[in-house]
Amino acid sequence: MDKVGSLFAYKTAKYVVAKNKTIGILYRLFQLIVLGYLIGWVFLKNKKYQITDEIIQSSVKTKVKGYATITTSDGKEEVWGPEDYVIPQQGDNVFFVTTNLVDTPNQTLGYCPESPSAIGFNCTEDADCKQSKFFGNGKKTGICLNITNSNFTGICEIYGWCPPKTKDRPKTPVLSEAENFILQIRNNIRFPKFNFTGSNFKGKSIKQLNTCFYDEIKEPHCPVFRLGDIVQKAGYSFQEMAVYGGSIGIMVEWQCDLDKGWDCNPQYSFARLGNSPTHEFKFRYVRYFTDANGGKYRTHYSVSGIHFDVMVFGMAGMFGIIPTIVNLGSGFAFMGAGAYICDIILLYMMKKRTLYRVLKFETVKKNDKNIEKIV
């Protein structure tokens, strides 16, 4: 019967002041820890009183400047500008800067021996020169050429662009001057939740962008960098990377506290994407020409260089009453846990725990004579 009656009993709090120094110090210490966590970590460090927007809308335009003198394979000296060594030329957030190359000029369509370095083209008889679909610089004609003035005894004839590439990549970068080329990054961003827009070149004229360099304190709105400095800040030597090529990530981070004003500056960081020595970056392309008689010829380029990837991310925040109330409520609820822990220690671990339990818990029945006298 008592068990059934307990379902309809009501419990109300009874406050007992326990003048115990140990429990009192423990309770105040717990309150201070929670208060310090709430103010220091939640509000000051992580700014949980703010409404945030992590959806960043971004556009990036890049421009590389600088000229280099190179010597081609036929001994000619050429001056290369951005239109020669930057691919693609339109200036996207992903671009490639040529630093090393092997050029094969004056190629024309015709018949010639394959390059000695090509796989599967050495031969001793015509039967060795069957068609290969994947390797080489042209289509096999089925003829084995015995060339006596070379280091090999036989090579398959091909029909293709002749002569094929025969030289190896130089061990010293052809465009070693690329270390001093200048990179300009123009980045416009928008956080749609707050309708906040910004740019990393705010207030800079074209003339100023051509004469300044980025400095976090002195020139936060000058997005101009030296290529050698970018690779160095990523932890690598530009001249070593320029031989075989590689990929560099340029991170543009926007952390905008709009409570401090609507002027926000980005932070830049740099990292190599794939730091293994085998992570090269190279490819091939050609340039076609027409002679006075209408004949077509071309120059073949096998290039290595540095691939740059500009990545933009960030977050904007502004004071909001709802996240403030939610985090304050969570902090005060956590303070209540301190009282619960102290109650457990006081009622079940202290020497006078029996006395504290008697004082804290009291059952009042409906027919209690003492209650009737009070009433």
Side-chain angles (χ1 to χ4, degrees):
M1 190 67 181
D2 291 339
K3 292 182 178 179
V4 176
S6 64
L7 294 174
F8 303 100
Y10 170 71
K11 294 181 180 180
T12 184
K14 178 181 181 180
Y15 294 97
V16 177
V17 179
K19 293 186 177 181
N20 186 299
K21 188 178 291 186
T22 302
I23 292 296
I25 292 174
L26 180 64
Y27 183 55
R28 299 306 177 195
L29 182 62
F30 188 87
Q31 285 182 318
L32 285 175
I33 292 173
V34 172
L35 193 61
Y37 165 77
L38 186 63
I39 296 174
W41 180 259
V42 176
F43 286 149
L44 296 181
K45 176 67 176 177
N46 292 317
K47 300 179 181 179
K48 293 298 184 180
Y49 56 86
Q50 291 184 330
I51 301 171
T52 60
D53 186 3
E54 297 183 15
I55 301 174
I56 183 170
Q57 299 170 347
S58 170
S59 68
V60 175
K61 179 182 178 181
T62 57
K63 182 183 291 185
V64 182
K65 296 182 178 181
Y67 291 88
T69 302
I70 70 167
T71 303
T72 62
S73 59
D74 56 1
K76 295 180 180 179
E77 194 172 80
E78 294 183 358
V79 176
W80 276 30
E83 59 277 5
D84 297 302
Y85 58 74
V86 177
I87 302 171
Q89 287 86 359
Q90 60 263 36
D92 291 333
N93 62 314
V94 178
F95 62 97
F96 172 85
V97 176
T98 303
T99 56
N100 205 5
L101 62 92
V102 178
D103 65 311
T104 307
N106 301 320
Q107 286 187 324
T108 57
L109 275 175
Y111 297 90
C112 59
E114 178 57 279
S115 170
S117 60
I119 299 174
F121 285 83
N122 292 329
C123 63
T124 55
E125 57 183 1
D126 291 345
D128 298 329
C129 295
K130 295 181 180 179
Q131 176 60 28
S132 174
K133 296 182 180 179
F134 304 108
F135 303 106
N137 296 286
K139 181 179 179 180
K140 289 180 178 179
T141 63
I143 299 174
C144 180
L145 301 174
N146 291 315
I147 303 175
T148 58
N149 58 349
S150 302
N151 295 326
F152 50 86
T153 57
I155 194 75
C156 292
E157 183 185 63
I158 62 168
Y159 176 74
W161 289 94
C162 300
K165 181 180 81 74
T166 57
K167 292 185 178 181
D168 295 327
R169 177 171 41 190
K171 300 301 181 183
T172 302
V174 174
L175 279 84
S176 60
E177 298 173 72
E179 185 172 7
N180 296 313
F181 290 168
I182 302 302
L183 170 63
Q184 185 183 107
I185 304 171
R186 297 188 187 185
N187 179 211
N188 293 285
I189 58 102
R190 178 176 179 266
F191 289 102
K193 183 180 289 187
F194 306 115
N195 196 26
F196 170 79
T197 58
S199 67
N200 64 343
F201 57 97
K202 184 178 180 181
K204 292 290 184 183
S205 65
I206 296 177
K207 183 178 179 180
Q208 289 172 321
L209 289 174
N210 289 333
T211 56
C212 68
F213 282 92
Y214 173 78
D215 185 275
E216 186 176 352
I217 299 174
K218 297 180 180 179
E219 290 284 2
H221 286 296
C222 180
V224 180
F225 306 87
R226 181 174 163 270
L227 295 189
D229 293 337
I230 292 176
V231 176
Q232 183 181 10
K233 289 178 181 179
Y236 293 87
S237 166
F238 184 92
Q239 293 299 327
E240 290 180 3
M241 186 181 291
V243 176
Y244 299 101
S247 295
I248 294 290
I250 302 174
M251 280 66 72
V252 185
E253 182 179 5
W254 294 81
Q255 294 294 336
C256 300
D257 186 353
L258 302 184
D259 293 325
K260 296 180 179 179
W262 288 61
D263 185 20
C264 183
N265 298 325
Q267 299 294 319
Y268 301 89
S269 58
F270 312 93
R272 182 167 183 174
L273 308 178
N275 55 9
S276 170
T278 59
H279 289 164
E280 304 176 359
F281 204 97
K282 59 182 180 179
F283 59 93
R284 294 167 290 181
Y285 70 94
V286 295
R287 290 176 179 171
Y288 290 93
F289 307 92
T290 303
D291 59 25
N293 298 322
K296 182 181 288 188
Y297 66 100
R298 73 179 193 179
T299 298
H300 176 279
Y301 294 94
S302 178
V303 301
S304 301
I306 301 178
H307 171 265
F308 293 92
D309 192 347
V310 182
M311 295 168 278
V312 181
F313 58 97
M315 180 179 68
M318 181 183 289
F319 174 78
I321 189 65
I322 293 177
T324 302
I325 293 174
V326 169
N327 283 286
L328 281 174
S330 300
F332 290 143
F334 198 38
M335 277 190 181
Y340 180 75
I341 294 172
C342 290
D343 275 353
I344 292 176
I345 296 173
L346 189 68
L347 300 175
Y348 299 102
M349 299 181 184
M350 304 294 291
K351 291 182 179 180
K352 296 182 179 181
R353 55 186 177 273
T354 303
L355 174 62
Y356 290 130
R357 284 201 298 271
V358 171
L359 293 173
K360 183 172 178 63
F361 302 110
E362 183 177 353
T363 304
V364 179
K365 297 181 180 178
K366 184 177 181 181
N367 58 354
D368 195 316
K369 294 181 179 180
N370 294 327
I371 295 299
E372 291 176 357
K373 289 178 181 180
I374 295 172
V375 174

